[in-house]
Every structure is written in C-alpha cells, then in structure tokens.
Amino acid sequence: MEFYTYQYFVNQSGQSHLVKYVIFVSLLALLLLVILKKFRSRDKMKYRDLIILVSLAIVFMAGMQVNEYEVGKNDRNNSFQMVNFLDNISENQKKEPKELAVNSKYVKDEMLIKIDNTYYQINMNADLSSFKLEETYLLNVDQVKMVEE
C-alpha cells in the first residue's frame, strides 16, 4: 500500500515537461529547414515526403501535448485540493503537514491518512465539505510504502 506525503503533492503541482517542449520546437525547426531546402531545390518532389513526415510528427506531438495538458491540469487540481485538505487536517490536529500522508492521490471518501504513526480512515460527507476521522488499524503495516517524490 502506498501513502503519499504532503511534499509529494506540493511537487506534483510544479512538474514540467521540458523535454517534450524541446522535441516539439526541434521538429518545428526541422520543418522550417526542410521547407527552405525544398524551395532552393530544383527538384520540387525531392523533399515532399520528408515535409509530410515531419508535419505528421508535429501534429502527433501537438496532440500528445494537448492531451497531457488536460491530464496535467486535472492532476494539478487534485494536488491543489489535497494540499488544502492536508493543511486543514494539520491545523485541526495541530501537526505539521510534513507529518501527514494519505493513500490516495485525490480527496475521496474512506481514504486513509497517517498522522505520526497512527492511521485514520476519513469519512467524508456527500459533497466533500466535511469529514470525520476514525482510528483504524492496518493488517500489513510493514507493507506500507511512503512516496515522497
């Protein structure tokens, strides 16, 4: 069972996909270079296939980035909600946020939270505006893995 620390959610909101942006810009530069070579060439068909291939790669990369943007936006929203939730619990329990860990990547009913060395089940109301902590006991405490990233 994995438990995610407060720092994990803070780091999630700041992730960047720099490598994908570099590849995308490189493909655009390559397309520009091939188009310029095509205009300078006497054979008009010489670079046509390469232009089509690079253009398809750009469209593919753009589609991937739009999809990852949507998924990333959802993940950042879930991380933001979890950070606020953990801040609220840390205030109520008078603990530092770094002492908390949860077993879910988003706020939901019946998730588990670890405060110090004690585990609690969180029971949420229907609209997730209030919760109740109930102490619970894990059968396999030695299989708990902390994810801090």
Side-chain angles (χ1 to χ4, degrees):
M1 176 181 292
E2 292 183 336
F3 276 76
Y4 303 95
T5 63
Y6 180 82
Q7 193 61 38
Y8 172 84
F9 295 106
V10 171
N11 291 343
Q12 285 294 102
S13 60
Q15 280 188 348
S16 171
H17 301 286
L18 182 62
V19 173
K20 292 175 185 155
Y21 295 133
V22 168
I23 291 172
F24 186 72
V25 170
S26 299
L27 283 172
L28 286 175
L30 179 64
L31 180 64
L32 182 63
L33 181 71
V34 172
I35 288 173
L36 288 174
K37 284 212 169 252
K38 178 181 169 32
F39 284 131
R40 290 186 180 175
S41 174
R42 291 185 182 185
D43 185 9
K44 296 297 180 187
M45 302 302 277
K46 186 174 183 181
Y47 294 102
R48 180 181 62 112
D49 293 340
L50 192 55
I51 290 173
I52 291 171
L53 184 65
V54 173
S55 298
L56 288 174
I58 289 172
V59 169
F60 178 72
M61 286 293 294
M64 281 180 34
Q65 286 185 347
V66 167
N67 183 40
E68 287 182 14
Y69 171 76
E70 292 297 323
V71 169
K73 187 169 81 170
N74 189 28
D75 288 346
R76 282 188 302 276
N77 187 27
N78 287 340
S79 292
F80 180 72
Q81 287 177 347
M82 186 60 81
V83 166
N84 286 339
F85 181 72
L86 291 175
D87 283 337
N88 190 337
I89 288 181
S90 70
E91 286 177 19
N92 290 338
Q93 298 297 313
K94 302 200 181 3
K95 299 287 183 184
E96 290 293 316
K98 64 184 177 186
E99 297 174 18
L100 307 177
V102 292
N103 74 332
S104 175
K105 291 184 178 182
Y106 58 93
V107 178
K108 66 177 186 174
D109 188 31
E110 296 185 354
M111 67 181 177
L112 300 177
I113 186 166
K114 180 182 180 218
I115 302 174
D116 291 329
N117 290 325
T118 308
Y119 295 90
Y120 297 92
Q121 180 176 348
I122 297 176
N123 296 316
M124 307 284 292
N125 68 342
D127 65 351
L128 304 177
S129 63
S130 67
F131 63 91
K132 179 172 62 170
L133 290 176
E134 292 181 13
E135 189 171 358
T136 190
Y137 302 95
L138 298 182
L139 295 176
N140 298 320
V141 177
D142 56 330
Q143 294 181 352
V144 170
K145 177 184 169 192
M146 300 302 280
V147 179
E148 296 183 17
E149 267 187 51

